[in-house]
PDB file of all heavy atoms in Angstrom:
ATOM      1  N   ALA A   8     -27.416 -20.343   1.042  1.00  0.00           N
ATOM      2  CA  ALA A   8     -28.437 -20.092   2.051  1.00  0.00           C
ATOM      3  C   ALA A   8     -28.422 -18.643   2.551  1.00  0.00           C
ATOM      4  O   ALA A   8     -29.425 -18.160   3.083  1.00  0.00           O
ATOM      5  CB  ALA A   8     -28.253 -21.049   3.230  1.00  0.00           C
ATOM      6  N   ASP A   9     -27.297 -17.953   2.372  1.00  0.00           N
ATOM      7  CA  ASP A   9     -27.195 -16.558   2.789  1.00  0.00           C
ATOM      8  C   ASP A   9     -27.630 -15.588   1.691  1.00  0.00           C
ATOM      9  O   ASP A   9     -27.587 -14.370   1.878  1.00  0.00           O
ATOM     10  CB  ASP A   9     -25.761 -16.231   3.210  1.00  0.00           C
ATOM     11  CG  ASP A   9     -25.318 -17.032   4.428  1.00  0.00           C
ATOM     12  OD1 ASP A   9     -26.156 -17.223   5.323  1.00  0.00           O
ATOM     13  OD2 ASP A   9     -24.152 -17.469   4.470  1.00  0.00           O
ATOM     14  N   GLY A  10     -28.006 -16.144   0.542  1.00  0.00           N
ATOM     15  CA  GLY A  10     -28.430 -15.294  -0.565  1.00  0.00           C
ATOM     16  C   GLY A  10     -27.321 -14.838  -1.476  1.00  0.00           C
ATOM     17  O   GLY A  10     -27.550 -14.065  -2.410  1.00  0.00           O
ATOM     18  N   ASP A  11     -26.082 -15.295  -1.244  1.00  0.00           N
ATOM     19  CA  ASP A  11     -24.965 -14.915  -2.101  1.00  0.00           C
ATOM     20  C   ASP A  11     -25.005 -15.701  -3.408  1.00  0.00           C
ATOM     21  O   ASP A  11     -25.300 -16.898  -3.418  1.00  0.00           O
ATOM     22  CB  ASP A  11     -23.634 -15.173  -1.398  1.00  0.00           C
ATOM     23  CG  ASP A  11     -23.452 -14.309  -0.163  1.00  0.00           C
ATOM     24  OD1 ASP A  11     -23.989 -13.190  -0.149  1.00  0.00           O
ATOM     25  OD2 ASP A  11     -22.787 -14.757   0.793  1.00  0.00           O
ATOM     26  N   VAL A  12     -24.686 -15.024  -4.484  1.00  0.00           N
ATOM     27  CA  VAL A  12     -24.649 -15.632  -5.810  1.00  0.00           C
ATOM     28  C   VAL A  12     -23.206 -15.932  -6.184  1.00  0.00           C
ATOM     29  O   VAL A  12     -22.327 -15.081  -6.024  1.00  0.00           O
ATOM     30  CB  VAL A  12     -25.258 -14.701  -6.872  1.00  0.00           C
ATOM     31  CG1 VAL A  12     -25.096 -15.291  -8.269  1.00  0.00           C
ATOM     32  CG2 VAL A  12     -26.730 -14.443  -6.580  1.00  0.00           C
ATOM     33  N   ALA A  13     -22.961 -17.136  -6.672  1.00  0.00           N
ATOM     34  CA  ALA A  13     -21.638 -17.491  -7.180  1.00  0.00           C
ATOM     35  C   ALA A  13     -21.638 -17.321  -8.692  1.00  0.00           C
ATOM     36  O   ALA A  13     -22.563 -17.748  -9.374  1.00  0.00           O
ATOM     37  CB  ALA A  13     -21.290 -18.928  -6.808  1.00  0.00           C
ATOM     38  N   ILE A  14     -20.601 -16.675  -9.213  1.00  0.00           N
ATOM     39  CA  ILE A  14     -20.487 -16.413 -10.642  1.00  0.00           C
ATOM     40  C   ILE A  14     -19.143 -16.926 -11.134  1.00  0.00           C
ATOM     41  O   ILE A  14     -18.104 -16.612 -10.556  1.00  0.00           O
ATOM     42  CB  ILE A  14     -20.572 -14.894 -10.936  1.00  0.00           C
ATOM     43  CG1 ILE A  14     -21.855 -14.302 -10.345  1.00  0.00           C
ATOM     44  CG2 ILE A  14     -20.486 -14.624 -12.430  1.00  0.00           C
ATOM     45  CD1 ILE A  14     -21.881 -12.781 -10.409  1.00  0.00           C
ATOM     46  N   ARG A  15     -19.158 -17.734 -12.169  1.00  0.00           N
ATOM     47  CA  ARG A  15     -17.905 -18.212 -12.750  1.00  0.00           C
ATOM     48  C   ARG A  15     -17.553 -17.364 -13.961  1.00  0.00           C
ATOM     49  O   ARG A  15     -18.358 -17.175 -14.865  1.00  0.00           O
ATOM     50  CB  ARG A  15     -18.016 -19.679 -13.179  1.00  0.00           C
ATOM     51  CG  ARG A  15     -16.720 -20.227 -13.797  1.00  0.00           C
ATOM     52  CD  ARG A  15     -16.883 -21.689 -14.174  1.00  0.00           C
ATOM     53  NE  ARG A  15     -17.953 -21.886 -15.126  1.00  0.00           N
ATOM     54  CZ  ARG A  15     -17.840 -21.709 -16.444  1.00  0.00           C
ATOM     55  NH1 ARG A  15     -16.696 -21.299 -16.948  1.00  0.00           N
ATOM     56  NH2 ARG A  15     -18.862 -21.923 -17.235  1.00  0.00           N
ATOM     57  N   VAL A  16     -16.337 -16.860 -13.978  1.00  0.00           N
ATOM     58  CA  VAL A  16     -15.821 -16.121 -15.122  1.00  0.00           C
ATOM     59  C   VAL A  16     -14.489 -16.747 -15.487  1.00  0.00           C
ATOM     60  O   VAL A  16     -13.462 -16.474 -14.865  1.00  0.00           O
ATOM     61  CB  VAL A  16     -15.649 -14.621 -14.815  1.00  0.00           C
ATOM     62  CG1 VAL A  16     -15.189 -13.876 -16.057  1.00  0.00           C
ATOM     63  CG2 VAL A  16     -16.947 -14.030 -14.296  1.00  0.00           C
ATOM     64  N   GLY A  17     -14.491 -17.630 -16.492  1.00  0.00           N
ATOM     65  CA  GLY A  17     -13.273 -18.361 -16.827  1.00  0.00           C
ATOM     66  C   GLY A  17     -12.866 -19.234 -15.659  1.00  0.00           C
ATOM     67  O   GLY A  17     -13.635 -20.054 -15.172  1.00  0.00           O
ATOM     68  N   SER A  18     -11.628 -19.053 -15.183  1.00  0.00           N
ATOM     69  CA  SER A  18     -11.138 -19.838 -14.054  1.00  0.00           C
ATOM     70  C   SER A  18     -11.347 -19.113 -12.730  1.00  0.00           C
ATOM     71  O   SER A  18     -10.913 -19.581 -11.685  1.00  0.00           O
ATOM     72  CB  SER A  18      -9.646 -20.146 -14.240  1.00  0.00           C
ATOM     73  OG  SER A  18      -8.899 -18.933 -14.297  1.00  0.00           O
ATOM     74  N   THR A  19     -12.007 -17.962 -12.784  1.00  0.00           N
ATOM     75  CA  THR A  19     -12.212 -17.151 -11.585  1.00  0.00           C
ATOM     76  C   THR A  19     -13.642 -17.289 -11.075  1.00  0.00           C
ATOM     77  O   THR A  19     -14.564 -17.425 -11.860  1.00  0.00           O
ATOM     78  CB  THR A  19     -11.936 -15.656 -11.894  1.00  0.00           C
ATOM     79  OG1 THR A  19     -10.617 -15.533 -12.411  1.00  0.00           O
ATOM     80  CG2 THR A  19     -12.091 -14.800 -10.664  1.00  0.00           C
ATOM     81  N   MET A  20     -13.807 -17.259  -9.763  1.00  0.00           N
ATOM     82  CA  MET A  20     -15.142 -17.292  -9.186  1.00  0.00           C
ATOM     83  C   MET A  20     -15.361 -16.031  -8.366  1.00  0.00           C
ATOM     84  O   MET A  20     -14.567 -15.681  -7.499  1.00  0.00           O
ATOM     85  CB  MET A  20     -15.340 -18.533  -8.312  1.00  0.00           C
ATOM     86  CG  MET A  20     -16.777 -18.675  -7.819  1.00  0.00           C
ATOM     87  SD  MET A  20     -17.191 -20.342  -7.247  1.00  0.00           S
ATOM     88  CE  MET A  20     -16.102 -20.487  -5.837  1.00  0.00           C
ATOM     89  N   LEU A  21     -16.462 -15.346  -8.669  1.00  0.00           N
ATOM     90  CA  LEU A  21     -16.852 -14.152  -7.944  1.00  0.00           C
ATOM     91  C   LEU A  21     -18.132 -14.444  -7.165  1.00  0.00           C
ATOM     92  O   LEU A  21     -18.840 -15.405  -7.448  1.00  0.00           O
ATOM     93  CB  LEU A  21     -17.126 -12.995  -8.910  1.00  0.00           C
ATOM     94  CG  LEU A  21     -16.146 -12.738 -10.046  1.00  0.00           C
ATOM     95  CD1 LEU A  21     -16.629 -11.562 -10.889  1.00  0.00           C
ATOM     96  CD2 LEU A  21     -14.761 -12.470  -9.499  1.00  0.00           C
ATOM     97  N   PHE A  22     -18.416 -13.580  -6.198  1.00  0.00           N
ATOM     98  CA  PHE A  22     -19.667 -13.680  -5.457  1.00  0.00           C
ATOM     99  C   PHE A  22     -20.367 -12.335  -5.488  1.00  0.00           C
ATOM    100  O   PHE A  22     -19.733 -11.285  -5.672  1.00  0.00           O
ATOM    101  CB  PHE A  22     -19.410 -14.120  -4.013  1.00  0.00           C
ATOM    102  CG  PHE A  22     -18.893 -15.525  -3.901  1.00  0.00           C
ATOM    103  CD1 PHE A  22     -17.527 -15.777  -3.970  1.00  0.00           C
ATOM    104  CD2 PHE A  22     -19.759 -16.594  -3.748  1.00  0.00           C
ATOM    105  CE1 PHE A  22     -17.041 -17.066  -3.879  1.00  0.00           C
ATOM    106  CE2 PHE A  22     -19.283 -17.885  -3.661  1.00  0.00           C
ATOM    107  CZ  PHE A  22     -17.928 -18.126  -3.721  1.00  0.00           C
ATOM    108  N   LEU A  23     -21.672 -12.372  -5.311  1.00  0.00           N
ATOM    109  CA  LEU A  23     -22.481 -11.166  -5.360  1.00  0.00           C
ATOM    110  C   LEU A  23     -23.504 -11.213  -4.245  1.00  0.00           C
ATOM    111  O   LEU A  23     -24.110 -12.250  -3.988  1.00  0.00           O
ATOM    112  CB  LEU A  23     -23.165 -11.076  -6.724  1.00  0.00           C
ATOM    113  CG  LEU A  23     -24.142  -9.933  -7.020  1.00  0.00           C
ATOM    114  CD1 LEU A  23     -24.215  -9.698  -8.530  1.00  0.00           C
ATOM    115  CD2 LEU A  23     -25.546 -10.221  -6.484  1.00  0.00           C
ATOM    116  N   ARG A  24     -23.701 -10.090  -3.576  1.00  0.00           N
ATOM    117  CA  ARG A  24     -24.794  -9.978  -2.624  1.00  0.00           C
ATOM    118  C   ARG A  24     -25.361  -8.563  -2.681  1.00  0.00           C
ATOM    119  O   ARG A  24     -24.677  -7.620  -3.080  1.00  0.00           O
ATOM    120  CB  ARG A  24     -24.356 -10.333  -1.194  1.00  0.00           C
ATOM    121  CG  ARG A  24     -23.412  -9.389  -0.531  1.00  0.00           C
ATOM    122  CD  ARG A  24     -23.237  -9.689   0.965  1.00  0.00           C
ATOM    123  NE  ARG A  24     -22.949 -11.080   1.254  1.00  0.00           N
ATOM    124  CZ  ARG A  24     -22.587 -11.520   2.462  1.00  0.00           C
ATOM    125  NH1 ARG A  24     -22.477 -10.655   3.472  1.00  0.00           N
ATOM    126  NH2 ARG A  24     -22.336 -12.789   2.675  1.00  0.00           N
ATOM    127  N   THR A  25     -26.617  -8.444  -2.292  1.00  0.00           N
ATOM    128  CA  THR A  25     -27.286  -7.146  -2.307  1.00  0.00           C
ATOM    129  C   THR A  25     -27.490  -6.657  -0.884  1.00  0.00           C
ATOM    130  O   THR A  25     -27.550  -7.446   0.060  1.00  0.00           O
ATOM    131  CB  THR A  25     -28.647  -7.246  -3.015  1.00  0.00           C
ATOM    132  OG1 THR A  25     -29.455  -8.230  -2.348  1.00  0.00           O
ATOM    133  CG2 THR A  25     -28.470  -7.646  -4.476  1.00  0.00           C
ATOM    134  N   SER A  26     -27.609  -5.349  -0.732  1.00  0.00           N
ATOM    135  CA  SER A  26     -27.824  -4.774   0.587  1.00  0.00           C
ATOM    136  C   SER A  26     -29.283  -4.931   0.994  1.00  0.00           C
ATOM    137  O   SER A  26     -30.175  -5.056   0.150  1.00  0.00           O
ATOM    138  CB  SER A  26     -27.445  -3.299   0.594  1.00  0.00           C
ATOM    139  OG  SER A  26     -28.265  -2.567  -0.306  1.00  0.00           O
ATOM    140  N   ALA A  27     -29.520  -4.917   2.301  1.00  0.00           N
ATOM    141  CA  ALA A  27     -30.869  -5.122   2.825  1.00  0.00           C
ATOM    142  C   ALA A  27     -31.836  -4.042   2.368  1.00  0.00           C
ATOM    143  O   ALA A  27     -33.042  -4.288   2.240  1.00  0.00           O
ATOM    144  CB  ALA A  27     -30.833  -5.190   4.350  1.00  0.00           C
ATOM    145  N   ASP A  28     -31.329  -2.835   2.097  1.00  0.00           N
ATOM    146  CA  ASP A  28     -32.208  -1.750   1.667  1.00  0.00           C
ATOM    147  C   ASP A  28     -32.354  -1.675   0.147  1.00  0.00           C
ATOM    148  O   ASP A  28     -33.027  -0.774  -0.374  1.00  0.00           O
ATOM    149  CB  ASP A  28     -31.727  -0.408   2.214  1.00  0.00           C
ATOM    150  CG  ASP A  28     -30.302  -0.059   1.764  1.00  0.00           C
ATOM    151  OD1 ASP A  28     -29.748  -0.773   0.907  1.00  0.00           O
ATOM    152  OD2 ASP A  28     -29.754   0.928   2.291  1.00  0.00           O
ATOM    153  N   GLY A  29     -31.718  -2.611  -0.572  1.00  0.00           N
ATOM    154  CA  GLY A  29     -31.863  -2.649  -2.020  1.00  0.00           C
ATOM    155  C   GLY A  29     -31.161  -1.530  -2.760  1.00  0.00           C
ATOM    156  O   GLY A  29     -31.439  -1.290  -3.939  1.00  0.00           O
ATOM    157  N   GLN A  30     -30.224  -0.843  -2.110  1.00  0.00           N
ATOM    158  CA  GLN A  30     -29.556   0.295  -2.746  1.00  0.00           C
ATOM    159  C   GLN A  30     -28.178  -0.031  -3.305  1.00  0.00           C
ATOM    160  O   GLN A  30     -27.569   0.809  -3.965  1.00  0.00           O
ATOM    161  CB  GLN A  30     -29.418   1.448  -1.737  1.00  0.00           C
ATOM    162  CG  GLN A  30     -30.743   2.018  -1.283  1.00  0.00           C
ATOM    163  CD  GLN A  30     -30.580   3.356  -0.581  1.00  0.00           C
ATOM    164  OE1 GLN A  30     -29.830   4.211  -1.037  1.00  0.00           O
ATOM    165  NE2 GLN A  30     -31.281   3.536   0.519  1.00  0.00           N
ATOM    166  N   GLU A  31     -27.691  -1.256  -3.067  1.00  0.00           N
ATOM    167  CA  GLU A  31     -26.307  -1.547  -3.444  1.00  0.00           C
ATOM    168  C   GLU A  31     -26.145  -3.020  -3.795  1.00  0.00           C
ATOM    169  O   GLU A  31     -26.757  -3.899  -3.186  1.00  0.00           O
ATOM    170  CB  GLU A  31     -25.383  -1.195  -2.276  1.00  0.00           C
ATOM    171  CG  GLU A  31     -23.913  -1.451  -2.514  1.00  0.00           C
ATOM    172  CD  GLU A  31     -23.094  -1.240  -1.254  1.00  0.00           C
ATOM    173  OE1 GLU A  31     -23.675  -1.367  -0.142  1.00  0.00           O
ATOM    174  OE2 GLU A  31     -21.896  -0.976  -1.366  1.00  0.00           O
ATOM    175  N   ILE A  32     -25.302  -3.253  -4.789  1.00  0.00           N
ATOM    176  CA  ILE A  32     -24.851  -4.604  -5.127  1.00  0.00           C
ATOM    177  C   ILE A  32     -23.348  -4.637  -4.872  1.00  0.00           C
ATOM    178  O   ILE A  32     -22.614  -3.765  -5.345  1.00  0.00           O
ATOM    179  CB  ILE A  32     -25.115  -4.939  -6.605  1.00  0.00           C
ATOM    180  CG1 ILE A  32     -26.613  -4.843  -6.927  1.00  0.00           C
ATOM    181  CG2 ILE A  32     -24.584  -6.331  -6.950  1.00  0.00           C
ATOM    182  CD1 ILE A  32     -26.901  -4.868  -8.417  1.00  0.00           C
ATOM    183  N   VAL A  33     -22.909  -5.612  -4.113  1.00  0.00           N
ATOM    184  CA  VAL A  33     -21.478  -5.761  -3.862  1.00  0.00           C
ATOM    185  C   VAL A  33     -20.990  -7.047  -4.525  1.00  0.00           C
ATOM    186  O   VAL A  33     -21.510  -8.136  -4.260  1.00  0.00           O
ATOM    187  CB  VAL A  33     -21.161  -5.795  -2.356  1.00  0.00           C
ATOM    188  CG1 VAL A  33     -19.693  -6.150  -2.131  1.00  0.00           C
ATOM    189  CG2 VAL A  33     -21.454  -4.440  -1.728  1.00  0.00           C
ATOM    190  N   LEU A  34     -20.024  -6.894  -5.399  1.00  0.00           N
ATOM    191  CA  LEU A  34     -19.332  -8.030  -6.004  1.00  0.00           C
ATOM    192  C   LEU A  34     -18.021  -8.214  -5.250  1.00  0.00           C
ATOM    193  O   LEU A  34     -17.329  -7.238  -4.949  1.00  0.00           O
ATOM    194  CB  LEU A  34     -19.037  -7.766  -7.477  1.00  0.00           C
ATOM    195  CG  LEU A  34     -20.232  -7.790  -8.422  1.00  0.00           C
ATOM    196  CD1 LEU A  34     -19.908  -7.048  -9.696  1.00  0.00           C
ATOM    197  CD2 LEU A  34     -20.623  -9.224  -8.732  1.00  0.00           C
ATOM    198  N   PHE A  35     -17.677  -9.460  -4.947  1.00  0.00           N
ATOM    199  CA  PHE A  35     -16.439  -9.684  -4.214  1.00  0.00           C
ATOM    200  C   PHE A  35     -15.840 -11.030  -4.584  1.00  0.00           C
ATOM    201  O   PHE A  35     -16.540 -11.944  -5.016  1.00  0.00           O
ATOM    202  CB  PHE A  35     -16.664  -9.594  -2.707  1.00  0.00           C
ATOM    203  CG  PHE A  35     -17.705 -10.537  -2.154  1.00  0.00           C
ATOM    204  CD1 PHE A  35     -17.341 -11.739  -1.558  1.00  0.00           C
ATOM    205  CD2 PHE A  35     -19.053 -10.213  -2.212  1.00  0.00           C
ATOM    206  CE1 PHE A  35     -18.300 -12.600  -1.033  1.00  0.00           C
ATOM    207  CE2 PHE A  35     -20.021 -11.063  -1.684  1.00  0.00           C
ATOM    208  CZ  PHE A  35     -19.638 -12.259  -1.096  1.00  0.00           C
ATOM    209  N   ALA A  36     -14.538 -11.112  -4.418  1.00  0.00           N
ATOM    210  CA  ALA A  36     -13.813 -12.347  -4.731  1.00  0.00           C
ATOM    211  C   ALA A  36     -12.742 -12.574  -3.683  1.00  0.00           C
ATOM    212  O   ALA A  36     -11.922 -11.684  -3.436  1.00  0.00           O
ATOM    213  CB  ALA A  36     -13.173 -12.268  -6.115  1.00  0.00           C
ATOM    214  N   PRO A  37     -12.734 -13.731  -3.053  1.00  0.00           N
ATOM    215  CA  PRO A  37     -11.624 -14.068  -2.158  1.00  0.00           C
ATOM    216  C   PRO A  37     -10.419 -14.452  -3.011  1.00  0.00           C
ATOM    217  O   PRO A  37     -10.485 -15.392  -3.793  1.00  0.00           O
ATOM    218  CB  PRO A  37     -12.168 -15.264  -1.361  1.00  0.00           C
ATOM    219  CG  PRO A  37     -13.203 -15.878  -2.255  1.00  0.00           C
ATOM    220  CD  PRO A  37     -13.762 -14.783  -3.107  1.00  0.00           C
ATOM    221  N   VAL A  38      -9.333 -13.706  -2.895  1.00  0.00           N
ATOM    222  CA  VAL A  38      -8.198 -13.933  -3.790  1.00  0.00           C
ATOM    223  C   VAL A  38      -7.001 -14.585  -3.110  1.00  0.00           C
ATOM    224  O   VAL A  38      -6.214 -15.272  -3.764  1.00  0.00           O
ATOM    225  CB  VAL A  38      -7.757 -12.623  -4.474  1.00  0.00           C
ATOM    226  CG1 VAL A  38      -8.788 -12.191  -5.505  1.00  0.00           C
ATOM    227  CG2 VAL A  38      -7.526 -11.513  -3.465  1.00  0.00           C
ATOM    228  N   VAL A  39      -6.840 -14.354  -1.800  1.00  0.00           N
ATOM    229  CA  VAL A  39      -5.726 -14.973  -1.079  1.00  0.00           C
ATOM    230  C   VAL A  39      -6.233 -15.492   0.262  1.00  0.00           C
ATOM    231  O   VAL A  39      -7.000 -14.814   0.948  1.00  0.00           O
ATOM    232  CB  VAL A  39      -4.567 -13.981  -0.835  1.00  0.00           C
ATOM    233  CG1 VAL A  39      -3.410 -14.691  -0.117  1.00  0.00           C
ATOM    234  CG2 VAL A  39      -4.086 -13.373  -2.141  1.00  0.00           C
ATOM    235  N   HIS A  40      -5.796 -16.689   0.625  1.00  0.00           N
ATOM    236  CA  HIS A  40      -6.223 -17.337   1.857  1.00  0.00           C
ATOM    237  C   HIS A  40      -5.007 -17.691   2.713  1.00  0.00           C
ATOM    238  O   HIS A  40      -3.895 -17.835   2.212  1.00  0.00           O
ATOM    239  CB  HIS A  40      -6.992 -18.629   1.542  1.00  0.00           C
ATOM    240  CG  HIS A  40      -8.127 -18.430   0.586  1.00  0.00           C
ATOM    241  ND1 HIS A  40      -9.441 -18.457   0.974  1.00  0.00           N
ATOM    242  CD2 HIS A  40      -8.142 -18.204  -0.754  1.00  0.00           C
ATOM    243  CE1 HIS A  40     -10.222 -18.255  -0.076  1.00  0.00           C
ATOM    244  NE2 HIS A  40      -9.451 -18.104  -1.136  1.00  0.00           N
ATOM    245  N   ASP A  41      -5.256 -17.840   4.001  1.00  0.00           N
ATOM    246  CA  ASP A  41      -4.226 -18.300   4.935  1.00  0.00           C
ATOM    247  C   ASP A  41      -2.973 -17.423   4.895  1.00  0.00           C
ATOM    248  O   ASP A  41      -1.839 -17.926   4.829  1.00  0.00           O
ATOM    249  CB  ASP A  41      -3.837 -19.760   4.642  1.00  0.00           C
ATOM    250  CG  ASP A  41      -5.032 -20.693   4.697  1.00  0.00           C
ATOM    251  OD1 ASP A  41      -5.961 -20.417   5.467  1.00  0.00           O
ATOM    252  OD2 ASP A  41      -5.033 -21.687   3.944  1.00  0.00           O
ATOM    253  N   ILE A  42      -3.173 -16.121   4.944  1.00  0.00           N
ATOM    254  CA  ILE A  42      -2.027 -15.219   4.876  1.00  0.00           C
ATOM    255  C   ILE A  42      -1.205 -15.310   6.167  1.00  0.00           C
ATOM    256  O   ILE A  42      -1.718 -15.638   7.227  1.00  0.00           O
ATOM    257  CB  ILE A  42      -2.458 -13.761   4.648  1.00  0.00           C
ATOM    258  CG1 ILE A  42      -3.270 -13.257   5.851  1.00  0.00           C
ATOM    259  CG2 ILE A  42      -3.237 -13.610   3.358  1.00  0.00           C
ATOM    260  CD1 ILE A  42      -3.470 -11.771   5.840  1.00  0.00           C
ATOM    261  N   ALA A  43       0.063 -15.001   6.046  1.00  0.00           N
ATOM    262  CA  ALA A  43       0.954 -14.994   7.202  1.00  0.00           C
ATOM    263  C   ALA A  43       1.348 -13.562   7.512  1.00  0.00           C
ATOM    264  O   ALA A  43       2.065 -12.924   6.738  1.00  0.00           O
ATOM    265  CB  ALA A  43       2.197 -15.839   6.905  1.00  0.00           C
TER     266      ALA A  43
END
C-alpha cells in the first residue's frame, strides 16, 4: 500500500521504492532485527 516493491532473489528478499520527485530509486533489505 506504500508503493514498495518486494523482490525475491534466491533466499533473499529486497525492497524497492522511488523518490517523490522521480530522481532516485532506493533498494533496501532488512538484514538484522531485534538488535541488542
